[in-house]
Amino acid sequence: MHGIVSRNPAIVLPTLIIVYLLPYLMNQPDVIIIGAGASGLMCAIEAAKRGRQVLVIDHANKVGKKILMSGGGRCNFTNYHIAAENYISHNPHFCKSALRRFSQWDFLALLEKYQIPFHERLHGQLFCDDSAKDIVNLLLSECKLYGVEIKLNCSVTQLQKQTDGYFALQTNSGLFQCQSLVAASGGLSIPKIGASPLGYKIAEQFGIKIWPTRAGLVPLTLQPDDKEKFTPLTGIAVPCVVSNHARSFKENLLFTHRGLSGPAILQISSYWQPGETLHINLLPDVDILFILREKRSQGNKQKLLAVLSDFLPKRLLQTLLAAASLEIQIANCADKQLQTIANHLHDWQIKPNSSEGYRTAEVTLGGVDCDALSSKTMECLTVPGLFFIGEVVDVAGWLGGYNFQWAWSSGWCAGQFV
């Protein structure tokens, strides 16, 4: 990535060399796509279908690394319930066109073509029955069918737009030139599989606004005192509703040795801001105050811990509530005691310390400003021939296949125009 240069349109070579040697030195596909992930491969397939000569380059040694690791190796590739409301962006309307023009049903038709078995989990999430490799093999088969060339271990070191409108790329694999350049290089999440800021650097080189980036769909860490208190609960998962000022999510919460995780926390993490307190209802489907009052009126001699253990793990109760109150018989509880316990379980408040960051984040929030792009084509409005798709754009989906659908949809749209 080092060496991405300024907006000077001239290639850093003597003029005579440019004039006489570049046609011989450069590989000249019609389209170069930087990034062999979900959006890049989809874009490549669609462009090649139109007869465009397409080259996909990637600094990694394997295509679709994020696809292969997602969903526990089974790839949550889309969702039955795709809508713009499932995405976070400074321009919440931007994603609507792409999601409508290439929908989850269009991607499912592709799976049907290759007879890939899949199944539905909670909330319309769709996973491969066998392996995420099925999705990667589908994409590679389509690339092969339409003549897409893929070059791995290929890193961009310099990029310019020439006076003739073509893009010139210097890479460790040689010089390349193209009419259309697509940045499908992803975001900053999960650096161990090759996350790169290259797409943002390209945007900045051409004066395109970048919204500040941060980790999304990521576990949250706890303040030191809370970490010490809750670490013994590692491995315990409970259904809950977790809320902040912006959103509520009803999912499982998981205690970890670093803090809080599970689908509920991953979802709210994309909306949570440092310093903010989370409100967690640990009994979303139960009115525990009503139940405790009923048992008290019946003269129940059980201790509070025994009754509450029917609804929540004992260790969690013993950590959250005062030991003395848990030993009281329900029949002897004052209404104020029951009210305090119910309030704590229905509105447990905790202020996370931070998130685990890009290391474990599933998506990057922020990125290339949607207002700088055409929602129909994904082309930069001020730089003809330059396109941005997928995670590098300021569109981030919820947990549950939404980010892959954005990759398919944005890649497909750009593929119709590059």
Side-chain angles (χ1 to χ4, degrees):
M1 278 133 2
H2 300 296
I4 298 291
V5 297
S6 68
R7 289 177 234 171
N8 186 343
I11 295 177
V12 186
L13 286 172
T15 304
L16 288 176
I17 294 179
I18 294 175
V19 173
Y20 295 110
L21 295 185
L22 276 184
Y24 304 100
L25 293 173
M26 280 194 174
N27 297 289
Q28 298 188 58
D30 299 318
V31 183
I32 293 178
I33 299 169
I34 303 174
S39 64
L41 293 176
M42 177 60 78
C43 180
I45 292 163
E46 290 302 312
K49 281 182 182 179
R50 296 170 41 234
R52 301 287 276 168
Q53 184 183 354
V54 181
L55 171 65
V56 179
I57 62 175
D58 199 304
H59 68 285
N61 60 0
K62 184 186 295 185
V63 304
K65 282 190 172 183
K66 204 165 187 181
I67 299 173
L68 291 170
M69 72 172 292
S70 70
R74 290 196 172 177
C75 188
N76 181 192
F77 54 83
T78 192
N79 193 294
Y80 276 139
H81 311 303
I82 299 291
E85 290 71 31
N86 306 122
Y87 294 86
I88 302 167
S89 173
H90 290 86
N91 181 342
H93 301 291
F94 180 82
C95 64
K96 292 179 179 178
S97 174
L99 295 173
R100 182 177 64 251
R101 288 162 55 228
F102 188 85
S103 70
Q104 64 271 41
W105 311 112
D106 295 305
F107 192 74
L108 287 172
L110 199 53
L111 264 68
E112 185 176 352
K113 174 182 174 181
Y114 284 87
Q115 298 183 316
I116 295 175
F118 65 91
H119 60 276
E120 179 184 3
R121 298 186 191 173
L122 291 174
H123 312 299
Q125 300 172 22
L126 301 181
F127 291 77
C128 296
D129 282 357
D130 300 323
S131 169
K133 290 179 182 177
D134 290 342
I135 302 296
V136 173
N137 290 338
L138 176 160
L139 296 168
L140 290 177
S141 295
E142 289 283 287
C143 284
K144 183 177 180 181
L145 179 63
Y146 295 105
V148 173
E149 181 184 356
I150 299 174
K151 186 178 288 292
L152 300 175
N153 299 302
C154 181
S155 300
V156 179
T157 55
Q158 286 188 339
L159 163 65
Q160 290 113 356
K161 190 169 189 185
Q162 303 170 167
T163 53
D164 61 4
Y166 279 67
F167 294 90
L169 288 78
Q170 175 68 60
T171 77
N172 61 339
S173 299
L175 288 164
F176 296 90
Q177 182 176 266
C178 61
Q179 294 175 326
S180 297
L181 179 66
V182 184
S185 49
L188 302 174
S189 53
I190 318 182
K192 69 179 181 182
I193 62 170
S196 161
L198 178 59
Y200 308 127
K201 289 180 178 291
I202 292 172
E204 288 171 349
Q205 176 178 334
F206 290 99
I208 299 164
K209 180 177 178 177
I210 302 291
W211 286 102
T213 59
R214 62 186 181 91
L217 301 181
V218 63
L220 299 176
T221 62
L222 296 178
Q223 307 285 349
D225 288 349
D226 285 333
K227 184 176 185 294
E228 182 178 353
K229 181 178 179 180
F230 292 107
T231 293
L233 302 181
T234 296
I236 289 179
V238 292
C240 72
V241 172
V242 58
S243 308
N244 70 350
H245 72 284
R247 284 282 177 174
S248 293
F249 290 99
K250 186 178 182 181
E251 287 274 12
N252 276 1
L253 175 152
L254 174 68
F255 290 90
T256 74
H257 64 283
R258 287 186 292 268
L260 303 177
S261 188
I265 296 299
L266 298 184
Q267 295 281 38
I268 203 70
S269 72
S270 294
Y271 295 90
W272 176 78
Q273 297 292 336
E276 187 176 33
T277 296
L278 292 179
H279 295 258
I280 301 174
N281 183 352
L282 293 165
L283 295 169
D285 299 316
V286 173
D287 184 343
I288 197 64
L289 181 59
F290 175 82
I291 291 171
L292 294 177
R293 282 172 171 168
E294 281 286 295
K295 290 186 178 294
R296 185 182 61 181
S297 69
Q298 296 163 4
N300 193 300
K301 301 295 185 182
Q302 285 182 296
K303 294 179 179 180
L304 269 171
L305 179 61
V307 174
L308 294 173
S309 295
D310 289 338
F311 303 97
L312 289 169
K314 279 186 179 180
R315 281 196 293 150
L316 175 57
L317 292 165
Q318 291 166 336
T319 302
L320 286 175
L321 303 174
S325 65
L326 291 172
E327 292 301 309
I328 301 174
Q329 290 183 349
I330 289 187
N332 299 327
C333 281
D335 201 67
K336 185 176 181 180
Q337 289 176 301
L338 298 183
Q339 184 78 57
T340 298
I341 288 169
N343 288 346
H344 199 58
L345 296 179
H346 283 301
D347 187 21
W348 171 39
Q349 298 181 27
I350 190 161
K351 184 183 292 186
N353 182 42
S354 181
S355 80
E356 290 189 8
Y358 294 119
R359 183 181 64 83
T360 55
E362 295 193 20
V363 73
T364 304
L365 300 165
V368 175
D369 184 16
C370 294
D371 292 343
L373 308 176
S374 162
S375 62
K376 181 179 180 180
T377 68
M378 303 293 133
E379 186 175 18
C380 178
L381 299 176
T382 57
V383 187
L386 180 60
F387 298 74
F388 292 88
I389 58 175
E391 190 178 350
V392 73
V393 180
D394 176 35
V395 176
W398 290 5
L399 187 72
Y402 299 100
N403 288 295
F404 274 121
Q405 186 57 51
W406 170 245
W408 313 134
S409 298
S410 61
W412 184 92
C413 287
Q416 311 307 309
F417 294 93
V418 292

